[in-house]
Amino acid sequence: MIATLNLSPIGNCAATALIDQRGRYVWACCPRVDGEPVFSALLTPAAGEDAGVWSVEIEDEATIEQAYLRNTPVLRTVMRDRHGNALEVIDFAPRMHNLNRTFRPWAFYRIIRPLNGAPRVKIRVTPTGHWGRDHATATSGSSHIRYDCGAETMRLTTNAPLTYVRSSRSFRLEGTLGFHLGPDEPYPNDVLADCEHMLRATTAYWQEWVRTLHLPLEWQEAVIRAAITLKLCAYEETGAIVAAMTTSIPEAPGSQRNWDYRYCWIRDAYYVVRALNRLGAADMLERYLVYLRNLTDMSAGGHVQPLYSVSMDAALTEWIAPDMHGYRGMGPVRVGNQAYEHFQHDVYGQMILPLTQSFFDQRFLRPGTIEDFHAMERVGERAFAMYDKPDAGLWEFRTKARVHTYSALLCWAACDRLGNAAAALGLPDRSDFWTDRARIIRHSIETRAWNEKGGYFAGSFEGEEVDASLLQLFELGFLPPDDPRCVATFAEVERQLRKGDNLYRYIEPDDFGEPETAFNFCTFWYIEALHLMGRTDEARELFEAMLRRRTASGLLSEDVKVDTGELWGNFPQTYSLVGLITCATLLSRSWTAIR
């Protein structure tokens, strides 16, 4: 079976899994999103063709239909055979309020329920260990199967016949079956009753959370699905937010641009919380601020990496998993990410921008304090020290460094927002201090990033190239959209980087040659810029084209192949979903339209 990105994520902000359109678990890592995959079929494990899945198969299959329960990440797959028999499979990770806390273990529930007749089914559970090298060793108890995956051991508890499950033998489905997959711990409860209870409670939790969102009038279904999925990309215990749930889905076929995105990029997480904040979802922002405050303490005003693990581990040494052949056999499969060694100076702005909101937002349970501000000042000092120093930039070039305009812009934003925060705290001297530093950086950007010959802002100081991040010059408030310099820069970005309905990140060759795919987030930046430039009808048309590009589950990956429209890159990509939410809120008609 050829792997595709037509996948549906389930999760609970601790456990995540990707399920394909046939109802098979093909990707899930244990004991957390950046751990080792126990369901690994998405990346073709060496353990064999049937390895790394948890499937339910109906004999004499006729049709399979799949959809989420409304406003939840609970997935329902309906299978019918050629004789009129039918069944449904319900998949979810439990999440509910219990004992004054949120219950969200690393665990999955699966319910298999006959809908019509007595279909014959085959249940295949074949987790892998050692990054796809081996089938997990299975041993049975009275109502459970233990899977020793090497680094982790899981327990599947069920009322299904264990003989049939272990042998993957087909049998008649004459009643409802319940499955709980979690840590290797005794499960003392009635598993089927628990399945039904957890389904009700989990459904209620998510539908209540969605009810708190401030949605645009238009495109609500798309926005809700994007918002739920962004929340699934949070590792709530620490507040971290991962860039995607997968590793090593190539940016383009056979390109070797295979990266591990299961970590918390400071940049990506900033855009996530900013997008959700547009919808009023302050819960994720508050938890992420805890992660940032811990990171601020760790850095003590010194170097900050672009990314960390969800537990804030700094060393993410990159290596290649030898027993994983890759998505459609297109390796390598990388674990870890060498970008943790990079200098990317925009991170200082992306730390301060979300933290600044804590001094203004009265909803927060913990408002920002004077102590928080002084800790942020240490980050600001670093931003001011590094704004005109070469770095790898937000596109993470591995073999060349420049003074990137985007990095300088975010350092400017760091100082500018510190000035705003100081004013809110009644510290006029500190406000003047940081406003002055922002003014110094502004002058450098306006003189050194401006390409006099071309008449536009370049992607680097004294440079000539352009990249899509220049569209952030007016989005971040550095210049108004109608400033002639912004208008000229927008026109140059559009001229060089737009290809059909897509905007490339850049077009100059990088470490791996010329880019072959367009970055979906950049296209959303372009749509946003079109709107700010007064071309709203064109922006709406392009936004609708992007919506048509989504998978059956309503999601997007990182990249798109311009000539075929096929999605590539890690999935689901938070950047892309951020762009969807941002553009929908900007472009939607006002709620006053329904008066």
Side-chain angles (χ1 to χ4, degrees):
M1 182 182 299
I2 297 176
T4 76
L5 293 184
N6 257 316
L7 305 170
S8 299
I10 62 171
N12 61 4
C13 304
T16 58
L18 295 175
I19 298 175
D20 71 9
Q21 290 189 294
R22 301 189 63 78
R24 305 185 311 157
Y25 279 62
V26 294
W27 187 256
C29 297
C30 182
R32 58 190 202 200
V33 64
D34 58 357
E36 183 176 321
V38 290
F39 296 114
S40 56
L42 182 64
L43 297 185
T44 323
E49 182 179 348
D50 294 328
V53 300
W54 181 8
S55 65
V56 178
E57 303 164 24
I58 187 170
E59 277 193 6
D60 297 324
E61 172 195 313
T63 62
I64 298 180
E65 300 170 1
Q66 197 173 67
Y68 286 110
L69 300 191
R70 180 176 178 270
N71 294 353
T72 77
V74 177
L75 187 67
R76 179 175 184 257
T77 305
V78 176
M79 303 179 180
R80 294 182 172 84
D81 67 20
R82 292 193 294 269
H83 312 291
N85 301 303
L87 61 88
E88 68 174 2
V89 183
I90 307 291
D91 286 300
F92 63 98
R95 184 176 174 90
M96 58 184 286
H97 294 301
N98 185 46
L99 301 177
N100 202 33
R101 62 185 177 86
T102 303
F103 179 71
R104 43 164 169 71
W106 192 96
F108 300 100
Y109 282 100
R110 170 164 260 185
I111 301 171
I112 306 175
R113 183 179 289 127
L115 297 177
N116 192 56
R120 294 190 63 84
V121 299
K122 181 186 297 183
I123 299 168
R124 190 188 311 275
V125 188
T126 58
T128 56
H130 306 104
W131 276 91
R133 188 186 71 193
D134 306 314
H135 280 274
T137 303
T139 55
S140 297
S142 57
S143 60
H144 70 268
I145 305 173
R146 297 172 70 252
Y147 295 98
D148 182 354
C149 301
E152 301 293 334
T153 301
M154 305 182 302
R155 181 181 295 223
L156 180 70
T157 304
T158 180
N159 66 328
L162 295 186
T163 298
Y164 298 150
V165 175
R166 285 205 58 176
S167 63
S168 301
R169 183 183 300 276
S170 65
F171 62 96
R172 284 171 60 92
L173 182 68
E174 296 186 342
T176 302
L177 303 179
F179 298 80
H180 172 270
L181 180 68
D184 184 26
E185 300 169 352
Y187 195 91
N189 301 329
D190 180 327
V191 65
L192 182 56
D194 267 9
C195 282
E196 301 287 6
H197 166 66
M198 290 296 179
L199 174 60
R200 291 190 297 271
T202 299
T203 300
Y205 170 87
W206 286 103
Q207 291 180 342
E208 182 63 28
W209 183 78
V210 168
R211 200 170 66 87
T212 68
L213 300 179
H214 305 313
L215 297 172
L217 176 61
E218 298 180 88
W219 306 299
Q220 289 189 23
E221 186 177 353
V223 170
I224 288 170
R225 184 54 48 201
I228 288 173
T229 306
L230 288 181
K231 188 171 175 66
L232 295 184
C233 289
Y235 188 71
E236 197 168 73
E237 182 180 340
T238 64
I241 302 168
V242 299
M245 295 179 186
T246 58
T247 177
S248 302
I249 308 297
E251 291 183 13
S255 65
Q256 304 286 302
R257 297 174 188 262
N258 300 12
W259 317 116
D260 191 350
Y261 277 9
R262 303 169 303 142
Y263 307 110
C264 183
W265 266 260
I266 306 305
R267 178 187 313 112
D268 301 49
Y270 155 67
Y271 282 111
V272 168
V273 295
R274 190 186 68 161
L276 288 176
N277 196 46
R278 290 176 181 266
L279 303 179
D283 55 336
M284 273 188 67
L285 174 56
E286 282 196 273
R287 290 187 177 92
Y288 178 60
L289 295 189
V290 174
Y291 186 87
L292 281 185
R293 286 193 289 266
N294 275 306
L295 185 57
T296 301
D297 290 346
M298 279 177 51
S299 67
H303 170 62
V304 175
Q305 296 175 188
L307 69 155
Y308 294 83
S309 79
V310 298
S311 60
M312 215 168 289
D313 295 327
L316 300 174
T317 304
E318 186 175 296
W319 56 280
I320 292 174
D323 298 302
M324 300 286 283
H325 301 311
Y327 180 74
R328 300 187 187 174
M330 298 177 189
V333 171
R334 290 186 170 94
V335 185
N337 198 301
Q338 187 256 337
Y340 85 94
E341 299 176 340
H342 290 186
F343 288 87
Q344 296 177 23
H345 303 321
D346 58 305
V347 298
Y348 304 110
Q350 281 137 358
M351 290 177 68
I352 286 177
L353 265 64
L355 284 166
T356 300
Q357 186 167 335
S358 65
F359 301 103
F360 295 91
D361 198 326
Q362 294 297 315
R363 296 174 299 168
F364 284 7
L365 296 174
R366 182 194 180 280
T369 66
I370 291 287
E371 291 76 17
D372 293 339
F373 174 75
H374 290 318
M376 289 166 58
E377 286 192 293
R378 296 197 299 270
V379 179
E381 292 288 356
R382 182 73 176 176
F384 186 73
M386 305 306 291
Y387 81 89
D388 59 352
K389 305 297 187 296
D391 71 352
L394 81 161
W395 308 126
E396 301 185 337
F397 296 117
R398 295 193 168 202
T399 59
K400 53 187 172 185
R402 297 168 174 161
V403 181
H404 287 91
T405 303
Y406 178 81
S407 297
L409 174 67
L410 267 296
C411 290
W412 165 83
C415 296
D416 179 74
R417 277 28 168 210
L418 280 170
N420 295 342
L425 290 168
L427 302 172
D429 290 346
R430 301 312 295 165
S431 181
D432 291 344
F433 176 85
W434 287 109
T435 300
D436 185 61
R437 291 204 155 181
R439 190 178 300 115
I440 293 170
I441 300 176
R442 171 185 287 277
H443 178 73
S444 290
I445 294 173
E446 290 182 331
T447 55
R448 297 186 61 190
W450 180 254
N451 183 295
E452 190 66 41
K453 180 181 177 181
Y456 57 84
F457 282 108
S460 61
F461 283 15
E462 288 83 40
E464 297 182 354
E465 82 290 349
V466 296
D467 71 72
S469 68
L470 293 166
L471 299 178
Q472 295 289 284
L473 281 164
F474 41 91
E475 199 285 328
L476 285 169
F478 184 80
L479 290 171
D482 59 356
D483 185 291
R485 293 167 295 177
C486 279
V487 174
T489 301
F490 172 80
E492 187 64 19
V493 168
E494 183 177 48
R495 184 184 72 82
Q496 290 197 35
L497 302 185
R498 180 169 180 177
K499 308 292 182 185
D501 288 342
N502 307 278
L503 197 81
Y504 279 72
R505 287 173 285 186
Y506 48 83
I507 56 173
E508 61 174 337
D510 60 17
D511 310 326
F512 292 81
E514 293 185 5
E516 300 176 53
T517 53
F519 200 58
N520 288 320
F521 191 36
C522 293
T523 302
F524 284 119
W525 272 353
Y526 175 64
I527 293 168
E528 186 177 353
L530 280 172
H531 169 67
L532 294 174
M533 289 290 174
R535 294 161 59 182
T536 299
D537 289 345
E538 189 177 348
R540 286 176 62 93
E541 183 179 343
L542 195 55
F543 181 62
E544 292 282 3
M546 288 296 290
L547 292 180
R548 290 191 293 270
R549 186 172 290 163
R550 292 174 300 153
T551 63
S553 59
L555 303 175
L556 289 163
S557 65
E558 181 182 36
D559 306 273
V560 64
K561 196 82 162 57
V562 173
D563 56 348
T564 66
E566 186 175 9
L567 294 175
W568 288 84
N570 282 304
F571 180 88
Q573 178 74 8
T574 55
Y575 260 159
S576 301
L577 302 180
V578 161
L580 188 157
I581 290 173
T582 300
C583 289
T585 57
L586 285 175
L587 298 175
S588 173
R589 291 177 296 143
S590 168
W591 279 94
T592 59
I594 64 174
R595 287 178 180 173

